[in-house]
Amino acid sequence: MSVHVGEAASALPFPEAAKKLVANSQLRRNVRHATNVIRTKRGRVVAEMDDWEQLRDAGKAIKDHTLAHLDEYLLQFEAACTKAGGQVHWARDADEANRIIVDLVKRYGSDEVIKVKTMTSDETRLNVALEAAGITPFETDLADLIVQLGEDKPSHIVVPALHRNRMEIRELFMGKMGLDTLGYQPEDLAAAARNYLRERFLRVKVGISGANYLIAETGSVVVVESEGNGRMCLTLPDVLISIVGVEKVIPRFEDLEVYLQLLPRSATGERMNPYNSIWTGVTPGDGPQAFHIVLLDNGRTKVLADPESRETLDCIRCGACLNACPVYRQTGGHAYGSVYAGPIGAILTPQLQSMEHSQTLPYASSLCGACYEVCPVKINIPEILIHLRTKVVDSGHAPLAERLAMKGAAFAMSKASRLSLAHAFARLGQWPFNDDGKLDNLPGLLAGWTEFRDLDAIPAESFREWWSKR
Amino acid sequence: MVVQAMTSREAVLANIRAAKGGPADESIPRLYSASVDLSPAEVVEQFADRLHDYNATVHHCTVDAIPATIAGILQTRQKTGLLIPSGLPPEWLPADYAFRRDEGLSYADLDASQGVLTACDVAIALTGTIVIGHSPAQGRRALTLVPDYHLCIVRLDQLVATVPEGMRRMAALLPAPLTTISGPSATSDIEMIRVKGVHGPRTLEVILVG
Ligand code: SF4
């Protein structure tokens, strides 16, 4: 088995990538503007829900419960989906998932596919596999189209092209769509995408999607979207193939009422996103008459195995932690070297790869706690970051300064609890950011070490104590 | 000894069983509100408000006035007819307009149409959501997707206040495919500026009946 997460294994270490990106002031302006807009909208629609905290508690509890019974719920989903006419495939890793999908597309005799935003397929690098097999993938989400045409990489899990402004997009569209004239208003650009994709929607015979939720009890699949490109891909082709991480299952249809309230408000600051599609297997006379779903592991069961950090799998990919994160807001998403950026990327990407790659990511945080505060399923990202930092140190992969610091800390605080020890790493781990996420310490390695030598400066309270006081 | 290669299914399930902890705290707190304290009139008002927010046009009328209301809308929009699903009540349709039933129309036919008129199954006031269960009065999914204009009739007895109330009604419609529609399609992918109307119908118009 070989897990890969996009191109994360060969990405630049975070501090180096970040250093390059923060030098790009246009990119920083674009990222700051976009995250500010979503944060404001989110704040408004979350504040109008009196029961927001109760919804978060339920959202978290349902996910934790599901993970404790994950095999049972997946089998229940498989049985229900199969009974309704769907075909369920299982994939251990990215390559296997890609192989299954390429084979299916070929079996149905198509050399092109229309795709609706699926980060999971970015994780497996499905487009590369499709192209290698002579199959052309058309991304249909506006942001994904911008990324695909620009041979770019997604930089946000909800708004993947937020690092591009309208002038850049206009130029890109004119070149790639062969247009002589094009306005620069967002309306003009959206209309150009509509025209470009319309004929493909009506023609292409195979659609590929991800899914936001799988419902064990009914075998239903749920896709949450805004533009209608999702409905097009899920409805018009003869064949639909969905690629979905095993952690996306929830037990009951009723559970969806929690996430359909948490997700849109957290992700885009809307009370409800324009479209949700829910389908169960195959419906005669309506939509694709062949439905395949690929259930993907690709390191997820490794994440599940660590009780300290398995709640990472609760994530509903709303992106709120990215928008809230002072580090993400400085660097943008590309610095994380993964399809999963921001705080969730910092904990998910290294864990999926068994901590063998992306070891600088757990340090890409000032541990300010903003991510935890906004997370609709209450993932304690700061605690997990600290936990992963100790894993990086234990594995001997930590940069030299941290290993030295680790030894020093172990010596100085040999009687201290593990978490207060972790707090020492937390202090060190602030390199290269201060509390505002400012990159004022670059290159930082030595700065961190220098800072750490003054052991007296570390408050005696443990991270947990400090955290609980916040 | 012959070692049989595990299938991927067995391997993934084995990994999960080895990895998952014992049953966690089994109780799921559901202390969020399933309903709200609003009068029926307030619920209707909220639904109409939300639709306005989404840039959807809203009309109110009685059952008897449905044909006249539809005729007025078509006249304003300068349309000579619409597509309709096979099970749409014929008594809703005004005379003098061309309504074409979707009996196996091609995607090109749907694309070239002036729009579509359907019923719905459920509506949710708090989020301005219309739920279509794709029964005969609403048609297959493509019918409310490919045309650029969607006129939807919502009866007040189909309207609930909250998402949980809506979900309970939606559960009864399974295993039919369900589409929830909250305003016309939209994107904020370019500089976070909301553009209304991308691939789904760019115009949504609603008649509230009752
Ligand atoms: S970790 Fe939480 S806030 Fe971040 S994307 Fe996932 S669900 Fe959203």
Side-chain angles (χ1 to χ4, degrees):
Chain A
M1 198 182 84
S2 80
V3 170
H4 63 80
V5 180
E7 292 167 2
S10 57
L12 274 183
F14 183 83
E16 284 167 49
K19 191 178 175 185
K20 282 192 184 160
L21 289 163
V22 292
N24 183 341
S25 57
Q26 180 64 53
L27 179 135
R28 281 170 67 187
R29 258 199 307 280
N30 295 350
V31 172
R32 187 157 281 268
H33 168 72
T35 50
N36 280 347
V37 172
I38 317 180
R39 270 154 47 116
T40 308
K41 287 175 69 187
R42 177 199 167 274
R44 224 174 15 232
V45 296
V46 164
E48 69 183 30
M49 297 292 279
D50 294 338
D51 57 348
W52 187 251
E53 288 310 312
Q54 288 76 15
L55 282 166
R56 287 176 82 202
D57 288 336
K60 168 148 204 67
I62 292 166
K63 286 282 185 176
D64 286 346
H65 165 88
T66 309
L67 290 180
H69 301 269
L70 189 57
D71 51 336
E72 299 151 47
Y73 286 125
L74 285 169
L75 289 172
Q76 197 186 356
F77 171 82
E78 180 187 50
C81 177
T82 308
K83 191 163 162 243
Q87 296 178 57
V88 180
H89 309 258
W90 300 69
R92 275 178 268 215
D93 58 21
D95 289 338
E96 187 175 14
N98 292 346
R99 226 169 18 244
I100 293 169
I101 295 172
V102 166
D103 286 350
L104 284 170
V105 178
K106 283 188 179 161
R107 200 214 297 168
Y108 287 105
S110 187
D111 57 6
E112 48 187 11
V113 297
I114 44 175
K115 287 183 70 202
V116 47
K117 184 171 162 53
T118 140
M119 253 177 303
T120 312
S121 81
D122 293 336
E123 177 187 323
T124 67
R125 298 179 74 214
L126 175 62
N127 286 1
V128 175
L130 289 168
E131 279 163 5
I135 299 160
T136 308
F138 297 111
E139 293 291 350
T140 66
D141 182 79
L142 181 53
D144 286 336
L145 180 68
I146 295 166
V147 168
Q148 188 182 35
L149 292 179
E151 293 167 38
D152 199 351
K153 293 205 162 56
S155 71
H156 187 284
I157 62 180
V158 175
V159 208
L162 60 57
H163 57 289
R164 297 280 206 149
N165 65 22
R166 67 181 81 181
M167 296 315 280
E168 297 170 296
I169 296 165
R170 173 176 179 269
E171 202 172 304
L172 175 70
F173 278 11
M174 287 181 70
K176 296 287 174 159
M177 296 177 183
L179 305 172
D180 294 332
T181 57
L182 178 60
Y184 55 83
Q185 296 299 339
E187 287 80 4
D188 302 323
L189 302 171
R194 178 183 166 102
N195 290 338
Y196 178 78
L197 288 170
R198 193 80 185 172
E199 175 268 334
R200 290 170 172 83
F201 282 137
L202 304 184
R203 181 191 76 219
V204 177
K205 295 296 173 211
V206 179
I208 292 183
S209 83
N212 294 88
Y213 307 98
L214 308 178
I215 298 165
E217 147 188 84
T218 62
S220 311
V221 185
V222 185
V223 166
V224 174
E225 56 130 355
S226 294
E227 296 171 10
N229 63 310
R231 292 176 68 195
M232 292 279 180
C233 294
L234 302 171
T235 306
L236 300 186
D238 297 338
V239 180
L240 173 61
I241 306 168
S242 301
I243 171 169
V244 188
V246 288
E247 82 284 14
K248 293 288 176 72
V249 70
I250 54 176
R252 286 163 295 269
F253 187 72
E254 178 192 0
D255 298 326
L256 195 55
E257 73 193 22
V258 175
Y259 301 107
L260 287 188
Q261 297 187 78
L262 289 172
L263 181 56
R265 287 177 199 260
S266 299
T268 51
E270 293 168 297
R271 297 188 179 102
M272 187 63 85
N273 47 289
Y275 298 134
N276 294 305
S277 293
I278 304 172
W279 73 96
T280 308
V282 168
T283 308
D286 186 349
Q289 294 302 295
F291 171 52
H292 294 265
I293 184 161
V294 180
L295 300 175
L296 177 71
D297 181 343
N298 203 39
R300 285 161 177 74
T301 54
K302 291 281 187 310
V303 186
L304 185 65
D306 186 341
E308 307 264 344
S309 55
R310 66 165 61 110
E311 65 171 332
T312 306
L313 297 175
D314 292 350
C315 174
I316 57 172
R317 305 282 190 270
C318 73
C321 58
L322 282 69
N323 306 328
C325 177
V327 174
Y328 175 88
R329 285 157 55 77
Q330 286 284 326
T331 64
H334 292 157
Y336 296 78
S338 165
V339 298
Y340 304 111
I344 180 62
I347 60 172
L348 180 60
T349 304
Q351 289 187 82
L352 286 174
Q353 301 169 104
S354 302
M355 305 304 293
E356 282 162 17
H357 301 285
S358 314
Q359 291 109 346
T360 53
L361 283 185
Y363 296 87
S365 167
S366 66
L367 300 174
C368 72
C371 48
Y372 181 36
E373 234 158 81
V374 296
C375 178
V377 288
K378 289 190 160 176
I379 300 174
N380 194 332
I381 296 177
E383 259 192 27
I384 296 176
L385 284 165
I386 290 171
H387 172 65
L388 298 181
R389 287 176 189 187
T390 64
K391 278 188 151 184
V392 171
V393 171
D394 287 348
S395 74
H397 284 299
L400 179 66
E402 275 118 89
R403 271 185 282 136
L404 289 173
M406 165 69 182
K407 278 175 120 175
F411 178 74
M413 304 194 283
S414 52
K415 286 192 184 131
S417 73
R418 196 169 135 245
L419 266 177
S420 62
L421 192 65
H423 184 207
F425 298 122
R427 294 282 304 130
L428 178 71
Q430 286 181 10
W431 154 84
F433 307 99
N434 68 19
D435 281 345
D436 298 326
K438 294 234 171 63
L439 277 158
D440 55 1
N441 263 343
L442 277 171
L445 205 69
L446 285 176
W449 170 231
T450 316
E451 181 187 304
F452 193 80
R453 290 207 328 210
D454 183 11
L455 276 174
D456 288 340
I458 301 169
E461 63 186 350
S462 72
F463 173 77
R464 213 181 263 279
E465 285 162 353
W466 168 76
W467 184 255
S468 63
K469 278 192 214 147
R470 283 170 46 89
Chain B
M1 196 179 100
V2 180
V3 181
Q4 256 204 314
M6 268 204 255
T7 64
S8 295
R9 179 177 183 274
E10 289 160 2
V12 173
L13 287 169
N15 283 344
I16 291 170
R17 286 176 187 135
K20 67 174 188 174
D25 178 12
E26 292 295 299
S27 66
I28 293 172
R30 289 182 192 273
L31 302 174
Y32 54 88
S33 330
S35 57
V36 286
D37 214 5
L38 290 180
S39 71
E42 287 169 325
V43 172
V44 174
E45 196 182 322
Q46 187 176 56
F47 182 58
D49 267 4
R50 296 295 194 248
L51 289 171
H52 281 302
D53 270 3
Y54 294 137
N55 231 22
T57 316
V58 187
H59 308 260
H60 295 256
C61 76
T62 59
V63 181
D64 297 340
I66 293 175
T69 307
I70 293 173
I73 291 168
L74 293 181
Q75 197 180 11
T76 309
R77 296 218 174 248
Q78 300 186 324
K79 292 184 187 291
T80 55
L82 293 172
L83 303 180
I84 52 170
S86 60
L88 196 83
E91 63 273 19
W92 287 358
L93 302 176
D96 304 328
Y97 288 91
F99 293 97
R100 185 167 177 200
R101 293 202 179 266
D102 171 27
E103 272 145 10
L105 293 176
S106 70
Y107 293 157
D109 290 337
L110 301 181
D111 196 29
S113 74
Q114 299 177 62
V116 62
L117 164 68
T118 73
C120 80
D121 278 302
V122 183
I124 302 169
L126 190 71
T127 54
T129 302
I130 291 166
V131 183
I132 300 214
H134 303 286
S135 59
Q138 295 132 32
R140 59 184 168 138
R141 281 173 282 173
L143 184 62
T144 35
L145 172 63
V146 179
D148 203 14
Y149 171 79
H150 182 193
L151 177 57
C152 187
I153 298 198
V154 179
R155 295 194 325 258
L156 289 188
D157 63 351
Q158 294 172 321
L159 180 63
V160 299
T162 68
V163 170
E165 288 170 321
M167 285 286 299
R168 260 146 239 178
R169 294 205 186 182
M170 285 160 70
L173 304 171
L174 292 173
L178 303 175
T179 306
T180 80
I181 299 173
S182 306
S185 63
T187 184
S188 300
D189 277 349
I190 300 168
E191 296 183 17
M192 301 314 298
I193 295 166
R194 190 174 170 93
V195 176
K196 285 157 184 150
V198 195
H199 301 296
R202 285 185 283 194
T203 308
L204 173 68
E205 194 152 5
V206 175
I207 305 178
L208 279 171
V209 178

